[in-house]
């Protein structure tokens, strides 16, 4: 059974189609990244899963429970952090935790709750209305995590947090997954997704353009070969490259190629000229991602 | 029904309740304490008839029933309705504007339970205002000779303002659930309250538009004749029916409401109905 299953999800706001048929399956125990730029439809899809907005068409299940028809039951299985969260300003963070626990009728494990508060360095005695954006984010994170729900849904979880706390959040998410619970989080920070997630999807213009396994992606990703020659190669050089090799940049003595399985042919082609420097690397997720957003096909 | 949401709603409304209640109570006390002086003065003087008609009254202001009707009951329901509009729009749209509604709705609790808890909090606040208002009567009326107006009459006429307040409060919640922002909802419903008041008042002064009084919910509260003519039960019943209708529609609209849509959502009513029948 999937932790989260989204099928043919469509959302219209009047004449504007915000989601254009999203399909997604998130397996139990994985950390799944939901990548996309602002306005791509990430928060809209998440809000439909949480049932604070309603789908125009499509179906959402959380651990087999219909998240629209049996939304209370589905939400019982979720911990949720909204994008830019806010809480009753007159309450302290401590009171916020008590308030939402009372609404859920669930008492969090005091040791676990205390641990989260300590690790995120949150002062729970201050009124929420006086907290900075980052500290409100911490309150939201604790709230999403403290009941140890089987599915944790986080909309841009590290926004406003300093780098040390961001690292701590990543560590906490790994621990959540190690306990067999599932994390589904949206982000536009690619490095974050790359370092934490086991799988990720890319959403653009209300559609999923790819779902990929990050380890597999790294294995299959093309190599980027960057060469610096001692003198600019002649204009006709590299006009015909071996199969599977693509010239991506040419700037005087510097030339860059992208190759999947044509590395041997490329090395021989490069060796026709005197080489000053050469590097071979895999593209970062950011480079792959930017290609998607430029509307190019994944190589 | 969720006790923490109920208590938090009440906590959020506490200063509204305090100031509206104390204000109305103090106003009630002042009216009672002023009456002996006004009684003497008005024995030889009188407001123009048209002015009295505007407030729906007839007779001399030296009559405590007419005095209280003109000076108190013409305004008190209006003030209570303003509480209803402020609290009603704040319950949903205000929290949405502060972005505190989304974390709440994301909890494993039904929208109906959230609605019921918040409405209960709102009505508990209204009861608090009523009690503070009564305190104004109870601390002064026994010590002033109001002739045929007994303390119980004052309690009853104050209570008679509650159905019209409830009707406009339900309307405020309904409009807040389908409008893009609290300010829009508050403006519309406050405007309707004022229009309703003016129609009820002018229709009693200008013969040509006398028929329009039937269009005004305010008219049915009969605030102008409560002490002289007594409570008109069918009119109060009509207002209770209107309140039930507006709260029913507000409940449906809240069930179908979409967070931070930023646009008018008339279809929230349809979604709410669909939700109710299909889920």
């Amino acid at each position: 059974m999937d932790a989260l299953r989204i099928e043919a999800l469509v959302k219209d706001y009047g004449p504007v189609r915000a989601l254009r048929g999203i399909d997604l399956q998130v397996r139990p125990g994985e950390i799944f990244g939901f990548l996309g730029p602002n306005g791509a439809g990430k928060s809209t899809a998440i809000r439909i899963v949480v049932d604070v907005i309603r789908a125009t068409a499509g179906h959402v299940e959380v651990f087999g429970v219909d998240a629209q028809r049996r939304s209370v039951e589905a939400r019982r299985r979720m911990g949720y952090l909204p994008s830019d969260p806010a809480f009753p300003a007159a309450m302290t963070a401590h009171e916020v935790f008590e308030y939402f626990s009372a609404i859920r009728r669930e008492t969090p494990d005091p040791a676990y709750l205390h641990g989260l508060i300590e690790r995120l360095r949150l002062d729970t005695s201050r009124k929420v209305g006086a907290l900075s954006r980052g500290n409100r984010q911490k309150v939201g994170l604790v709230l999403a995590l403290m009941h140890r729900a089987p599915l944790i849904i986080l909309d841009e979880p590290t926004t406003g947090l300093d780098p040390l706390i961001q690292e701590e959040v990543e560590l906490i998410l790994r621990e959540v997954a190690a306990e067999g619970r599932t994390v589904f989080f949206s982000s536009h920070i690619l490095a974050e997704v790359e370092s934490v997630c086991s799988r990720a999807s890319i959403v653009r213009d209300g559609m999923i353009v790819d779902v990929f396994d990050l380890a597999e992606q790294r294995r299959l990703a093309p190599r980027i070969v960057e060469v610096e020659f001692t003198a600019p190669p002649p204009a006709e050089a590299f006009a015909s490259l071996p199969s599977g090799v693509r010239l991506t940049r040419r700037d005087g003595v510097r030339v860059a190629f992208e190759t999947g399985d044509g590395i041997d042919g490329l090395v021989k082609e490069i060796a026709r000229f005197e080489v000053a420097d050469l590097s071979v690397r895999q593209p970062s997720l950011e480079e792959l991602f930017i290609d998607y957003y430029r509307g190019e096909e994944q190589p | 029904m969720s006790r923490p949401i109920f208590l938090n709603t009440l906590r959020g409304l506490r200063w509204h309740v305090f100031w509206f209640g104390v204000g109305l109570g103090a106003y009630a006390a002042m009216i009672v304490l002023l009456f002996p002086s006004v009684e003497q003065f008005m024995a030889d003087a009188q407001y123009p008839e048209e002015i009295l008609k505007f407030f729906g009254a007839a007779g001399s202001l030296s009559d405590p029933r007419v005095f209280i009707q003109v000076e108190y009951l013409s305004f008190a329901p209006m003030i209570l309705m303003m509480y209803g509009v402020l609290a009603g729009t704040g319950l949903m749209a205000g929290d949405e504007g502060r972005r505190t509604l989304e974390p709440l709705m994301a909890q494993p609790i039904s929208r109906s339970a959230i609605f019921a808890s918040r409405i209960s909090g709102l009505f508990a606040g209204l009861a608090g205002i009523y009690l503070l208002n009564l305190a104004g009567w109870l601390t002064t009326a026994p010590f002033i000779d109001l002739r045929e107006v007994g303390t119980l009459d004052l309690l009853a006429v104050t209570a008679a303002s509650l159905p019209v307040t409830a009707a406009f409060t339900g309307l405020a919640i309904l409009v807040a659930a389908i409008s893009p922002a609290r300010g829009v909802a508050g403006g519309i419903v406050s405007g309707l309250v004022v229009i309703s008041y003016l129609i009820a008042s002018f229709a009693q002064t200008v013969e040509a538009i006398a028929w329009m009084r039937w269009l005004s919910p305010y008219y049915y509260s009969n605030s102008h004749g409560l002490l002289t003519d007594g409570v008109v039960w069918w009119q109060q019943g009509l207002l209770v029916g209107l309140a039930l209708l507006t709260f029913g529609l507000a409940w449906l609209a809240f069930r179908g409401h979409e967070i931070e849509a930023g646009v008018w959502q008339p279809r929230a009513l349809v979604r709410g109905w669909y939700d109710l029948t299909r889920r």
Side-chain angles (χ1 to χ4, degrees), chain A residues 135-154:
Chain A
N135 280 316
R136 274 191 286 115
Q137 188 79 357
K138 291 178 190 176
V139 174
L141 276 164
V142 173
L143 197 57
L145 293 163
M146 69 183 192
H147 292 104
R148 294 185 128 149
L151 173 62
I152 306 295
I153 297 179
L154 309 170

Side-chain angles (χ1 to χ4, degrees), chain A residues 4-275:
Chain A
L4 175 64
R5 172 181 285 269
I6 299 175
E7 288 173 355
L9 200 62
V10 173
K11 177 63 188 172
D12 292 335
Y13 285 109
V16 178
R17 179 150 284 192
L19 298 181
R20 299 190 287 159
I22 284 187
D23 293 285
L24 209 59
Q25 288 87 42
V26 180
R27 300 176 203 127
E30 73 176 341
I31 306 180
F32 192 97
F34 197 41
L35 275 167
N38 294 334
K42 302 188 300 293
S43 294
T44 302
I46 286 175
R47 282 173 162 174
I48 291 173
V49 171
V50 184
D51 198 40
V52 295
I53 61 173
R54 302 286 158 74
T56 304
H59 185 69
V60 179
E61 277 183 13
V62 174
F63 293 105
V65 175
D66 187 323
Q68 294 157 320
R69 287 177 185 272
R70 292 159 65 198
S71 63
V72 174
E73 210 178 316
R75 286 198 296 268
R76 175 75 56 202
R77 292 160 167 78
M78 294 179 206
Y80 172 55
L81 169 75
S83 166
D84 193 9
F87 306 98
M91 288 186 187
T92 64
H94 180 72
E95 286 168 337
V96 167
F97 302 145
E98 282 187 338
Y99 175 57
F100 283 98
S101 295
I103 291 169
R104 286 183 81 104
R105 297 181 182 174
E106 287 176 37
T107 309
D109 171 3
Y112 186 67
L113 174 58
H114 185 70
L116 288 172
I117 291 167
E118 287 288 306
R119 291 173 71 179
L120 296 180
R121 295 181 206 162
L122 176 64
D123 178 359
T124 58
S125 64
R126 291 179 63 199
K127 300 248 188 223
V128 172
L131 294 180
S132 65
R133 168 78 174 83
N135 280 316
R136 274 191 286 115
Q137 188 79 357
K138 291 178 190 176
V139 174
L141 276 164
V142 173
L143 197 57
L145 293 163
M146 69 183 192
H147 292 104
R148 294 185 128 149
L151 173 62
I152 306 295
I153 297 179
L154 309 170
D155 197 351
E156 306 274 0
T158 58
T159 307
L161 301 180
D162 66 55
L164 284 177
I165 300 293
Q166 283 184 23
E167 265 183 38
E168 196 61 46
V169 170
E170 289 180 13
L171 195 59
I172 291 169
L173 297 186
R174 284 194 198 98
E175 289 168 6
V176 167
E179 287 175 17
R181 295 188 285 140
T182 312
V183 179
F184 178 79
F185 79 88
S186 76
S187 181
H188 60 270
I189 303 169
L190 302 159
E192 178 178 85
V193 170
E194 201 165 15
S195 73
V196 181
C197 294
S198 44
R199 287 198 308 142
S201 66
I202 292 179
V203 57
R204 185 181 70 198
D205 296 335
M207 288 178 76
I208 300 284
V209 291
D210 198 11
V211 179
F212 50 90
D213 184 302
L214 280 155
E216 189 72 357
Q217 187 74 16
R218 279 183 209 104
R219 195 176 65 77
L220 295 178
R223 268 63 175 165
I224 291 177
V225 179
E226 289 166 324
V227 191
E228 188 178 333
F229 296 98
T230 51
E236 68 277 10
F238 313 122
S240 72
L241 286 166
S243 149
V245 178
R246 187 163 70 96
L247 179 72
T248 55
R249 196 181 72 236
R250 185 171 186 151
D251 178 17
V253 294
R254 291 186 186 84
V255 184
F257 306 90
E258 200 173 83
T259 173
D261 51 6
I263 190 84
D264 181 61
L266 176 61
V267 168
K268 285 172 182 153
E269 192 69 27
I270 291 168
R272 291 168 51 213
F273 307 97
E274 192 175 346
V275 174

Side-chain angles (χ1 to χ4, degrees), chain B residues 87-223:
Chain B
T89 54
L91 272 189
M92 311 300 175
D95 268 9
E96 190 172 347
R98 289 185 289 273
R99 299 191 323 282
T100 54
L101 193 56
E102 185 173 4
L104 178 62
M105 288 170 77
Q107 301 305 316
I109 180 169
S110 69
R111 290 193 181 195
S112 292
I114 294 174
F115 186 84
S117 312
R118 297 203 139 202
I119 297 305
S120 302
L122 186 148
F123 274 104
L126 191 58
I129 294 175
Y130 179 68
L131 290 175
L132 288 167
N133 192 349
L134 291 192
W137 296 126
L138 293 173
T139 52
T140 51
F143 308 105
I144 301 291
D145 179 15
L146 293 174
R147 304 206 297 254
E148 60 271 70
V149 180
T151 306
L152 281 178
D153 294 320
L154 295 171
L155 306 192
V157 296
T158 310
S161 302
L162 297 178
V164 72
T165 303
F168 275 103
T169 304
L171 185 65
I173 299 169
L174 169 62
V175 177
I178 62 171
S179 70
R182 182 190 184 180
V184 176
I188 289 172
V189 185
S190 300
L192 288 173
V193 167
V194 172
I195 289 168
S196 175
Y197 175 80
L198 291 176
I199 287 177
S201 300
F202 280 113
Q204 293 173 102
T205 315
V206 183
E207 190 63 35
I209 58 165
W211 59 273
M212 286 181 76
R213 68 189 188 278
W214 301 109
L215 302 177
S216 164
Y218 195 89
Y219 177 78
Y220 292 95
S221 69
N222 191 35
S223 60

